[in-house]
Amino acid sequence: MKFLKKANLATTMICLLSLPLSSFSAFAAADDFREWKGTNGKSVGVVHEETSTISDSKINEMIERAKESISQEKKNKKNSLRAEALDTTYSYIAFEDGVSYVYEEASSANPELIILDSDNQKAEAFSSKQTQLQGIASDFIADGVGGKQEITQSGTYLSTKLTLPQDSMVDKKVAAYNYGGFFYLANTSGVIGSWVADMGLSYYTNVGQSQTETGWKPIIIVKQKTSATAWTAYKSDIFDPNYKEGQYRNAYKSGSDVNLYLWYNYNGKVRLKLDGTTICSERTCTTPGDTKTITIIESADKLNIPQISNWKLLSTVVSNDNTGKNRAIYSNIKVDGTPVPNNKFSIPQEDHAKVTRDNNNTVTIDVDSDIYKY
């Protein structure tokens, strides 16, 4: 694994992302069997792009889930000292095995739920090709370059501020990622039942209203070891860029700060929360401009991961020739709201990269194959 001028709108987006989407049915019809209402009291339009029809009861379930999450965010905003009396857009995306439910409420349009599915459940772009059971190595990323800092502090969640690189600091080759995650090593024969999660941001050069801007889109993949030699992608969030789901044309701004929160068991679910600045106020980028955006990505199902062996923070590039550039600064690193002690940081792993750490819980990962030859 190699592993957003001020606008008049402040946007909170809650996105629960899904598995790769490679093919869809040719039809996309609005559902008029019954009427659903959003939290704003407006009718919800349901658009079908799935290959097999989803029942009304399932649609109702997903809309209610979305409304519950949005209502909670509205309550948080009302109670927050930082709350601003500006328009807010809410996007909720939940995924199950092969099906994604994309819900969005914006002040400029009626709420909408888009249902998508895929017959090709691959998640190979973000997760490491190695088993991640190997030790320290100078070439620990088999299909690219990068650096990794593992953290052995136990706790329910890890938080950190990620400073994203400027565009000049990135040469993504195939793909570039800055992300965290966790690893759970099961005490079983062949360590079957182990879990690994990669949770963070992926670099794009075709976002924005003109589709020629750069930015970082949220991404998450969770894998489980299901045999002695194979890791199976249980969940992931890679979207087909030809469809209007996920962040679509929106992305977090290069060079900006994004607060990351990672949970391995949030009421049974794997969850990632991102809080930062995006380049647009909605996924279609109808309103470009720096926008405060919160993205929540979580599994629709309870995975109930019992514990983890370690947390991790990485900056990587996928390439086929061990080249590329990327950079990430992770500061104010905490577990359960408490700064991580020095002795809980493991020896970093470096592959054409340099990982440095200061005493203020800041880890800098500089990936540059031109400077770091090993």
Side-chain angles (χ1 to χ4, degrees):
M1 151 68 219
K2 307 332 187 232
F3 321 139
L4 220 122
K5 108 192 205 139
K6 291 184 178 178
N8 292 325
L9 300 179
T11 300
T12 300
M13 303 185 71
I14 310 168
C15 298
L16 311 182
L17 305 185
S18 119
L19 285 162
L21 305 176
S22 59
S23 63
F24 299 88
S25 64
F27 71 90
D31 190 324
D32 58 1
F33 183 82
R34 58 173 295 179
E35 186 177 30
W36 288 277
K37 299 286 188 179
T39 64
N40 55 11
K42 297 181 180 180
S43 297
V44 178
V46 180
V47 178
H48 294 280
E49 293 185 354
E50 75 273 28
T51 56
S52 59
T53 303
I54 301 298
S55 69
D56 274 9
S57 61
K58 187 64 178 181
I59 292 172
N60 185 71
E61 175 189 344
M62 300 316 297
I63 290 177
E64 289 304 314
R65 286 191 188 185
K67 290 168 63 176
E68 181 179 0
S69 292
I70 291 171
S71 294
Q72 183 60 53
E73 287 300 313
K74 287 183 175 182
K75 180 179 178 181
N76 292 342
K77 179 181 177 183
K78 182 178 180 180
N79 293 337
S80 173
L81 294 176
R82 298 187 305 156
E84 301 176 54
L86 299 173
D87 291 337
T88 301
T89 297
Y90 299 89
S91 295
Y92 173 101
I93 306 175
F95 60 87
E96 297 181 314
D97 290 335
V99 183
S100 300
Y101 304 87
V102 182
Y103 182 91
E104 183 170 272
E105 282 192 15
S107 60
S108 57
N110 283 352
E112 186 174 57
L113 176 71
I114 304 171
I115 306 173
L116 309 155
D117 67 3
S118 172
D119 59 3
N120 185 13
Q121 309 267 339
K122 293 182 179 179
E124 56 196 6
F126 190 43
S127 282
S128 173
K129 291 182 179 179
Q130 70 273 18
T131 65
Q132 303 203 21
L133 297 178
Q134 56 204 31
I136 307 298
S138 61
D139 190 27
F140 78 96
I141 299 178
D143 56 346
V145 296
K148 175 166 69 172
Q149 176 66 67
E150 293 184 350
I151 298 170
T152 60
Q153 178 70 29
S154 61
T156 58
Y157 75 97
L158 180 143
S159 62
T160 182
K161 181 176 73 175
L162 164 62
T163 300
L164 292 168
Q166 299 289 347
D167 294 329
S168 61
M169 300 176 179
V170 184
D171 183 1
K172 73 171 188 172
K173 300 299 180 174
V174 177
Y177 303 99
N178 286 320
Y179 63 102
F182 59 83
F183 182 75
Y184 167 59
L185 182 62
N187 186 23
T188 60
S189 177
V191 295
I192 296 174
S194 296
W195 291 89
V196 61
D198 300 331
M199 312 158 70
L201 294 160
S202 174
Y203 185 67
Y204 284 77
T205 58
N206 60 348
V207 294
Q209 194 172 54
S210 64
Q211 300 182 65
T212 59
E213 298 179 56
T214 62
W216 295 77
K217 293 187 182 185
I219 189 168
I220 179 172
I221 286 179
V222 184
K223 284 188 171 184
Q224 184 180 33
K225 197 161 194 286
T226 52
S227 74
T229 59
W231 290 84
T232 298
Y234 186 79
K235 305 292 180 187
S236 76
D237 71 342
I238 303 171
F239 286 104
D240 185 324
N242 295 315
Y243 289 84
K244 299 179 181 180
E245 66 277 355
Q247 294 295 302
Y248 187 34
R249 294 178 181 172
N250 201 6
Y252 283 90
K253 186 177 181 178
S254 294
S256 68
D257 293 333
V258 181
N259 293 308
L260 276 67
Y261 303 82
L262 316 176
W263 291 266
Y264 70 89
N265 190 324
Y266 185 92
N267 295 326
K269 303 177 181 181
V270 173
R271 166 183 272 217
L272 164 67
K273 178 178 177 179
L274 304 166
D275 184 347
T277 303
T278 51
I279 63 173
C280 306
S281 63
E282 65 283 301
R283 59 192 177 92
T284 56
C285 203
T286 304
T287 311
D290 289 5
T291 304
K292 176 174 173 58
T293 300
I294 295 175
T295 302
I296 296 175
I297 310 169
E298 68 181 7
S299 58
D301 297 329
K302 292 185 177 182
L303 306 185
N304 293 317
I305 298 174
Q307 58 184 312
I308 62 171
S309 303
N310 61 264
W311 303 98
K312 61 183 182 180
L313 299 170
L314 299 91
S315 179
T316 64
V317 177
V318 178
S319 69
N320 54 20
D321 58 359
N322 273 353
T323 63
K325 293 171 58 178
N326 198 1
R327 182 179 173 87
I329 301 176
Y330 297 99
S331 57
N332 198 26
I333 304 170
K334 298 178 179 181
V335 172
D336 289 351
T338 300
V340 176
N342 285 332
N343 63 353
K344 298 299 182 178
F345 289 90
S346 302
I347 298 174
Q349 298 185 39
E350 301 169 338
D351 181 352
H352 297 271
K354 182 67 175 179
V355 181
T356 56
R357 181 172 60 87
D358 65 21
N359 291 326
N360 296 316
N361 285 53
T362 296
V363 171
T364 300
I365 305 177
D366 186 21
V367 185
D368 193 330
S369 59
D370 292 334
I371 299 176
Y372 310 108
K373 303 299 183 180
Y374 303 100

